Amino acid sequence: MAILKKTCALLLLLLLAMSTAGCWNRRELNTLGIIGMAGVDKDSNGLKTTFEVIKPEKTGKGGNGENVKSPVKYVQATGSTVIETFRNATTRFDRRLFVSHAKAFLFNEELAKNGLAEHLDMILRDHELRLSMHLIIVKDASAADVMGVASGINTIPSSYVDDLLKEYKPHSKGVDSRVIDFLKAYYSKGVNPVVTVLQKVKKAKIGAGESNDEYELSSEGAAVFLKDRLVGYLDGPETRGYNWVVGKVASGIVTSPNPVIPGMNSVEILQARSNNDVEITDDHIKLKVKIQMTGMLDETTQKAGSLEPVEVMPLLEQATADVIKQEVEHTLQKTQTEYKSDIFGFGQLVHQKYPREWKNMQDNWDELFSQATVEVETEVEIIKEGKSLFPAKE
């Protein structure tokens, strides 16, 4: 009898396992519209979302070299909330939108100035959307306006944008922000979000064959937020000034005037480190930044008079250090005086070093940050000179 009960129990477990296994909520690929990226703009009806839907067919050029049709389609829908625009899109598109592979979410600056957090709630909740997507603010244009631009090798605009943003490291004049980065800074005290910027710029005409204007996208610069509101932008050098402070400069070129005679020198960044600190004395707050960089002399346009290379190198190092110091000081001053937003995280350093004082400062930190004094120290060591010790021009 006992054996019979055990056998029945095992059969019951087996039937339950079989009924719950498998892809019960599967959707066939030919029923889905795979989203590459989505752009949200303000509209008279509330919000207007533009979806890039990747066409499930071979992209690129045909066998005879002729251009094939665009690899993507665009769908637009309006609604009061972001998720409503997603569902309303299916009233005019023949496939269910599938967003798990979306690479980026774009917002125009008008929405960002009024507060971005409310429009990210859907991304935070929906199980298909990933927090690791690029988060982008579109400057001087609508989000829909930049979505059709793909001027790189990749013909799919969302893949072009993805590749473009990943290439910020060679110049360090942009940032690659993700949705999760924005939310972490927004929920934290003592630091404000910095977000990727995209701009649509007219492409230079090369040759006489092209008659119509062509455009490309630029990721140079960054959007500065105070909590979840866009308060302004940093240009390329200012963004590198930000990256120096937060330790995100991976590479780039620092160009400085020749310290001896008229001319320019360009030093490639091989490695950079930053060390930040705060000091509070009575009611006085000092922000301290120390940056160390090692580099390689990539180009010099003039010979430095009669000086030997070994005599010139310390002068070049000091000239490069001065340029870095100016970039950092200018960026700190701009964020203090124009935006009053601590995007560097000095408030978190105060929290760690002065926890008792932080209790009285945390609700008013950005105002205190704007009044703090700044001390910047930079050191540069040039460890390589390339293939030649002497400049090409005598």
Side-chain angles (χ1 to χ4, degrees):
M1 190 66 181
I3 295 174
L4 181 61
K5 286 183 178 179
K6 288 181 179 177
T7 304
C8 291
L10 286 172
L11 286 173
L12 182 60
L13 288 172
L14 183 61
L15 287 172
L16 287 172
M18 291 175 65
S19 63
T20 56
C23 302
W24 60 272
N25 63 342
R26 71 183 185 278
R27 281 174 282 173
E28 299 298 335
L29 187 61
N30 59 4
T31 66
L32 300 176
I34 298 176
I35 303 298
M37 62 180 169
V40 186
D41 292 299
K42 196 171 182 180
D43 183 76
S44 57
N45 294 320
L47 300 175
K48 179 174 67 181
T49 304
T50 306
F51 303 94
E52 177 202 273
V53 184
I54 299 173
K55 292 161 70 174
E57 57 190 39
K58 186 178 179 181
T59 61
K61 289 191 172 183
N64 297 325
E66 73 277 11
N67 288 323
V68 298
K69 295 179 180 177
S70 171
V72 300
K73 278 182 172 291
Y74 291 98
V75 185
Q76 279 189 333
T78 59
S80 301
T81 62
V82 178
I83 187 62
E84 192 173 78
T85 63
F86 271 65
R87 293 305 171 93
N88 288 344
T90 58
T91 63
R92 59 187 68 186
F93 193 63
D94 59 349
R95 295 194 179 187
R96 176 74 178 273
L97 300 182
F98 185 69
V99 293
S100 289
H101 296 292
K103 291 183 169 61
F105 232 87
L106 292 72
F107 292 89
N108 78 336
E109 57 187 349
E110 187 178 2
L111 281 175
K113 285 177 181 175
N114 292 327
L116 203 56
E118 62 181 289
H119 306 302
L120 299 180
D121 189 74
M122 174 257 189
I123 301 176
L124 189 62
R125 293 174 186 275
D126 194 287
H127 67 281
E128 285 188 0
L129 285 161
R130 294 174 294 117
L131 297 178
S132 58
M133 288 187 300
H134 299 290
L135 179 63
I136 300 168
I137 302 301
V138 179
K139 185 181 178 184
D140 299 331
S142 68
D145 200 28
V146 305
M147 288 179 63
V149 180
S151 63
I153 299 298
N154 208 319
T155 57
I156 299 176
S158 57
S159 297
Y160 161 64
V161 168
D162 185 42
D163 292 342
L164 185 68
L165 298 184
K166 288 177 180 174
E167 287 299 317
Y168 86 94
K169 290 183 179 178
H171 52 78
S172 298
K173 294 181 179 178
V175 295
D176 181 12
S177 66
R178 310 292 172 129
V179 176
I180 186 67
D181 299 327
F182 180 92
L183 291 174
K184 283 168 67 177
Y186 171 64
Y187 289 130
S188 301
K189 288 194 173 181
V191 64
N192 286 304
V194 175
V195 177
T196 304
V197 165
L198 275 185
Q199 272 188 287
K200 182 180 175 181
V201 294
K202 191 176 290 186
K203 200 171 180 178
K205 288 185 178 180
I206 300 175
E210 299 173 354
S211 56
N212 298 325
D213 289 337
E214 291 191 2
Y215 293 88
E216 57 191 355
L217 299 181
S218 170
S219 62
E220 186 172 346
V224 177
F225 281 73
L226 183 59
K227 295 304 289 180
D228 71 329
R229 290 185 302 103
L230 173 68
V231 292
Y233 296 98
L234 301 177
D235 63 19
E238 291 165 350
T239 302
R240 190 165 69 176
Y242 161 78
N243 282 328
W244 284 119
V245 178
V246 298
K248 290 186 177 178
V249 168
S251 186
I253 301 295
V254 181
T255 299
S256 61
N258 191 303
V260 182
I261 60 174
M264 303 301 290
N265 303 295
S266 291
V267 176
E268 181 181 353
I269 304 163
L270 298 179
Q271 189 176 32
R273 295 189 301 273
S274 66
N275 185 15
N276 303 328
D277 195 9
V278 291
E279 280 185 4
I280 299 178
T281 307
D282 298 328
D283 293 331
H284 181 71
I285 302 171
K286 179 185 282 188
L287 313 177
K288 301 173 72 173
V289 180
K290 183 175 182 179
I291 295 166
Q292 294 172 301
M293 183 203 111
T294 54
M296 179 174 83
L297 181 62
D298 270 1
E299 185 175 355
T300 180
T301 61
Q302 291 283 350
K303 185 179 179 182
S306 58
L307 296 178
E308 294 297 323
V310 69
E311 299 174 294
V312 175
M313 204 52 67
L315 301 177
L316 296 184
E317 291 173 342
Q318 186 57 50
T320 306
D322 290 342
V323 169
I324 297 172
K325 186 175 182 180
Q326 289 169 11
E327 281 185 3
V328 172
E329 288 179 337
H330 174 73
T331 304
L332 282 164
Q333 184 185 29
K334 185 168 185 175
T335 53
Q336 283 184 298
T337 57
E338 290 190 33
Y339 305 141
K340 295 186 177 180
S341 172
D342 178 10
I343 56 176
F344 309 95
F346 285 107
Q348 295 183 330
L349 291 178
V350 174
H351 187 193
Q352 294 168 13
K353 193 172 180 178
Y354 303 95
R356 186 174 299 172
E357 289 81 354
W358 177 248
K359 290 179 181 177
N360 298 322
M361 292 179 172
Q362 56 183 334
D363 293 332
N364 194 34
W365 170 247
D366 286 304
E367 184 63 33
L368 296 172
F369 164 77
S370 68
Q371 299 167 5
T373 59
V374 172
E375 180 182 292
V376 179
E377 183 181 346
T378 56
E379 293 179 6
V380 171
E381 183 182 10
I382 299 175
I383 60 173
K384 296 181 181 178
E385 302 169 44
K387 293 184 294 185
S388 174
L389 293 175
F390 301 95
K393 186 173 182 178
E394 294 184 348

